[in-house]
Amino acid sequence: MRGRTLTQLTAGFLLTSVVAATPATAQKAAAKTDFHQWAPTPPLGWNSWDCYGPTVTEAEVKANADYMARYLKSSGWQYVVVDIRWYVGNDTAHGYNEKNPDWNIDSYGRFVPAPNRFPSAAGGKGFKPLADYLHARGLKFGIHIMRGVPVVAVQRQLPILGSKATAADIYSKEGQAGWLHDMYTVVAGRPGAQEYYNSLFQLYASWGVDFVKVDDLSSPYHKPEVEMIRRAIDLSGRRILLSTSPGETPITEAKHVQQHANMWRTVGDFWDSWEQLKEHFEVCNRWAPYIRPGAYPDADMLPLGRIGIRAERGDDRMSRFTRDEQYTLMSLWSIFRSPLMFGGDLPSNDAFTLSLLTNKDVLAMHRSSTNNRQLFRKDNLIAWTADDPNTGDKFLALFNAQDQELAPASEAAWASAVITRQTPGQSQPVDVDISGASKLYLNVRDGGDDIAWDHANWLNPVLRNGSNSVLLTSLSWKTASAGWGKATANKSVSGADLLVAGKKYDQGIGTHSNSMIEYDLPTGFTRFQATAGLDNAGAAQNTGGTLQFLVFTKNPFRPMPADSARVSVALAQLGLTGPCTVRDLWTGKTTTAATGEFAPYVRRHGAKLYRISKTKK
């Protein structure tokens, strides 16, 4: 009960009348409180997606909640969020069961928890017992939902609570997600449309839900449904934070989403990929002007610790981020004031991972800093800064995002056009003269919109010399890298069949931008031929899936940059003059006084995070 208002305590009593009997009264009451006040600082929590995909169980949620209550609550962590498809009793890892899903849905067309996964939900109790379990430990409970009305509710013409309409009266197939087909669009303005969303949040309020992540809402941006959801939350009588997903939310809708949600995604799904992490510097710089109390651009979850136990991407693993990269991630998310939603299995945390989540100085900056912004970017040496409004101190984050650069496409032996889901056949033929070459480098690069869902296939790759030929997949590559996952022979990078434009291929290489696969060529071959294609896993998405394929016969790598680089900041750029004291927030060490310029060395892919204070006389 700690910290709950009278409105929250009486929410259960009010629920039966809020929607059906007194919507005008409830709307008036809700209007008295600005929902931004429900999240005066960026939310901190755990989400089941990176560990368990759509298969998390009640026991696993409780185990993570118990860990949070014991080790993280005192540092401000409080939200425990059950991600996608908690209403399907037989879902699968590495994708979704859309063949024979075991739906759990009530008589008003609202999904309810699968009791075989959430036993306490049996008997119509829903998520209330689990929410009570969390609340008793001083935590808050959240769920994921998909935008729209269930397809199965439409098919069964289930009635809508508080309306004479049925689900079949409010839906449209237009805008249905291409990657999961559970829901149809709710058409704003139709009788029963708002009432349906009202009934959802009436149910969630009765369960004690504190946070709702709504998927398939941000990209493309479904403004009418954003507004219906906002209205339904305000009518519910409970303070439920709204998180929209996935991104990137259109920057043109920044003001609108800021006025309707507590947090909104700025990227597609983020995993333990340096390439994706590096893209965040540009994304965060673009969204920093829209940070405000109660409304936060969301850089997505923290894929740290143990992830992939039964997840969509990859296998059971500790995060592939190096320690330097983990400091980069936490420093950027914190000075950008992104919500922090941890994706790893908390009970599996090691001491280092726990230290990232409980650093008092870093969390204090994340909680209360202002004027957060990129100070400069000089190629891939980057500085961010923010203010401490209470002391006048400055925060400074320094990043070294340098990488070994690649030769431009103009130096390739062959380069495709950018291939997207709009490309005819979602592919392009490859035919390259390799006469005299001893090396073959197959390179896939992002086509321009970041590497989200850039699943790439080299199909039927063959080395030829007249009538002689050999499948490249019969040879072993020397090295192979991928922006996500691992390059795989005769399978897509996700482990599924090689599938392009509806056609299955038995031979090929599945990979993901940005990718480089190196071969030592056998002698005598004069041509390399293949088909370069966007895999179905990328083509089925709403975002990403933009690729360029390149073939090199000479080493395309430029010299490796130094392990560390100095990142120089003039203190005047921070508005500071005279001698200053510099404290390293990650180590807790205070350096000697700095005057005029501060220029520490930062490791490649690493970060430094400081508090800088004017030295007292």
Side-chain angles (χ1 to χ4, degrees):
M1 296 296 184
R2 185 175 62 183
R4 296 178 66 187
T5 66
L6 180 62
T7 301
Q8 291 172 299
L9 290 170
T10 58
F13 172 79
L14 293 173
L15 281 171
T16 56
S17 59
V18 162
V19 176
T22 59
T25 303
Q27 182 74 54
K28 185 176 180 180
K32 293 181 179 179
T33 303
D34 179 1
F35 73 89
H36 295 97
Q37 296 176 16
W38 306 346
T41 61
L44 277 64
W46 174 83
N47 179 294
S48 62
W49 172 247
D50 286 356
C51 292
Y52 302 107
T55 68
V56 71
T57 66
E58 182 169 1
E60 289 162 338
V61 174
K62 287 183 174 180
N64 279 272
D66 291 345
Y67 181 99
M68 182 181 290
R70 182 174 181 182
Y71 295 107
L72 296 176
K73 185 176 72 170
S74 60
S75 296
W77 297 80
Q78 58 180 341
Y79 289 94
V80 174
V81 182
V82 176
D83 211 270
I84 196 166
R85 279 193 135 197
W86 38 263
Y87 44 82
V88 175
N90 60 344
D91 220 331
T92 56
H94 300 291
Y96 304 101
N97 177 9
E98 294 198 72
K99 294 180 180 179
N100 61 338
D102 174 21
W103 304 116
N104 289 269
I105 193 166
D106 74 5
S107 60
Y108 292 109
R110 302 173 297 186
F111 283 132
V112 295
N116 63 317
R117 291 170 53 196
F118 299 92
S120 69
K125 297 184 181 70
F127 270 132
K128 188 176 190 308
L130 182 54
D132 289 345
Y133 182 91
L134 298 180
H135 294 155
R137 283 151 182 77
L139 304 177
K140 295 187 177 182
F141 178 59
I143 59 174
H144 168 292
I145 65 170
M146 291 285 291
R147 168 189 68 86
V149 60
V151 171
V152 65
V154 171
Q155 293 170 341
R156 297 176 185 176
Q157 298 185 352
L158 295 179
I160 295 169
L161 182 65
S163 170
K164 296 180 180 179
T166 73
D169 298 318
I170 65 171
Y171 86 101
S172 170
K173 293 182 179 181
E174 185 176 350
Q176 184 184 36
W179 51 273
L180 183 61
H181 304 91
D182 290 358
M183 315 297 281
Y184 286 137
T185 296
V186 172
V187 182
R190 287 190 182 174
Q194 182 64 55
E195 287 82 0
Y196 179 74
Y197 272 118
N198 292 351
S199 75
L200 281 186
F201 284 90
Q202 176 184 4
L203 180 64
Y204 303 156
S206 73
W207 288 346
V209 170
D210 305 293
F211 181 104
V212 173
K213 171 184 174 183
V214 185
D215 211 333
D216 192 39
L217 194 61
S218 293
S219 180
Y221 190 68
H222 294 273
K223 183 181 289 188
E225 286 184 270
V226 170
E227 293 176 354
M228 284 191 284
I229 291 167
R230 174 75 266 148
R231 193 173 298 116
I233 293 174
D234 291 342
L235 284 167
S236 75
R238 185 170 182 85
R239 298 185 175 196
I240 300 175
L241 298 194
L242 173 59
S243 167
T244 75
S245 177
E248 181 177 352
T249 304
I251 197 77
T252 54
E253 300 292 353
K255 292 291 187 182
H256 185 269
V257 73
Q258 189 185 60
Q259 294 166 3
H260 289 81
N262 296 103
M263 47 192 274
W264 59 90
R265 284 276 287 280
T266 61
V267 293
D269 284 358
F270 172 61
W271 288 92
D272 48 339
S273 156
W274 167 252
E275 296 281 353
Q276 285 190 305
L277 176 52
K278 188 172 180 177
E279 289 170 348
H280 274 79
F281 289 107
E282 182 179 343
V283 171
C284 293
N285 183 42
R286 183 160 60 245
W287 281 99
Y290 299 97
I291 303 167
R292 61 162 288 185
Y296 307 99
D298 175 15
D300 200 17
M301 291 163 51
L302 306 173
L304 300 176
R306 183 187 177 194
I307 60 176
I309 296 171
R310 297 191 304 277
E312 176 197 38
R313 297 204 195 182
D315 298 317
D316 190 349
R317 65 192 184 276
M318 293 301 288
S319 176
R320 294 191 183 106
F321 284 130
T322 66
R323 287 199 173 190
D324 284 322
E325 291 165 352
Q326 292 183 57
Y327 279 123
T328 291
L329 190 163
M330 289 299 297
S331 297
L332 181 59
W333 265 237
S334 296
I335 202 163
F336 176 60
R337 300 194 79 210
S338 172
L340 302 180
M341 289 290 170
F342 187 76
D345 180 61
L346 288 173
S348 302
N349 274 354
D350 56 17
F352 174 72
T353 305
L354 180 59
S355 74
L356 292 175
L357 305 181
T358 55
N359 184 294
K360 293 181 180 179
D361 292 333
V362 175
L363 290 174
M365 177 195 70
H366 176 258
R367 186 166 52 247
S368 61
S369 58
T370 59
N371 198 22
N372 309 71
R373 66 199 185 281
Q374 180 176 290
L375 185 65
F376 62 75
R377 180 168 188 168
K378 299 174 181 177
D379 294 323
N380 285 311
L381 301 180
I382 304 161
W384 273 68
T385 188
D387 302 337
D388 184 338
N390 299 316
T391 65
D393 290 353
K394 305 294 182 179
F395 297 106
L396 178 66
L398 302 177
F399 304 95
N400 179 353
Q402 292 180 326
D403 285 302
Q404 188 174 23
E405 299 296 330
L406 291 175
S410 60
E411 295 184 18
W414 176 89
S416 75
V418 173
I419 296 174
T420 72
R421 58 180 59 81
Q422 284 77 40
T423 301
Q426 296 166 354
S427 63
Q428 186 174 333
V430 184
D431 191 355
V432 189
D433 185 348
I434 58 172
S435 301
S438 62
K439 288 283 192 178
L440 185 69
Y441 299 87
L442 305 183
N443 180 211
V444 182
R445 301 183 185 182
D446 162 52
D449 70 342
D450 75 35
I451 68 166
W453 294 102
D454 283 359
H455 292 60
N457 297 332
W458 296 94
L459 303 164
N460 294 334
V462 178
L463 303 175
R464 297 190 184 278
N465 183 4
S467 61
N468 297 324
S469 66
V470 61
L471 275 167
L472 193 63
T473 48
S474 69
L475 307 177
S476 297
W477 53 62
K478 184 176 181 180
T479 62
S481 65
W484 170 79
K486 295 180 180 179
T488 307
N490 302 327
K491 290 287 185 181
S492 73
V493 71
S494 62
D497 291 332
L498 296 166
L499 191 65
V500 172
K503 181 180 178 180
K504 178 184 173 184
Y505 294 78
D506 293 326
Q507 297 291 332
I509 302 167
T511 187
H512 197 284
S513 73
N514 291 311
S515 168
M516 183 70 72
I517 304 173
E518 175 187 356
Y519 285 91
D520 289 324
L521 285 176
T523 58
F525 290 97
T526 59
R527 303 209 71 79
F528 169 65
Q529 295 176 333
T531 298
L534 171 63
D535 189 84
N536 183 67
Q541 305 302 310
N542 295 329
T543 60
T546 59
L547 307 166
Q548 184 181 27
F549 293 77
L550 304 98
V551 177
F552 291 87
T553 55
K554 296 180 180 179
N555 187 350
F557 290 100
R558 300 302 196 225
M560 180 71 75
D563 182 67
S564 298
R566 294 187 72 180
V567 185
S568 178
V569 179
L571 296 180
Q573 291 179 272
L574 304 176
L576 297 172
T577 58
C580 294
T581 300
V582 181
R583 177 178 171 81
D584 186 318
L585 297 189
W586 285 118
T587 67
K589 295 180 180 179
T590 300
T591 68
T592 56
T595 303
E597 182 185 63
F598 181 60
Y601 280 94
V602 182
R603 288 173 55 87
R604 184 158 42 88
H605 289 201
K608 297 285 188 178
L609 186 57
Y610 302 100
R611 174 188 285 270
I612 304 181
S613 314
K614 293 190 69 172
T615 302
K616 296 179 180 179
K617 297 181 180 179

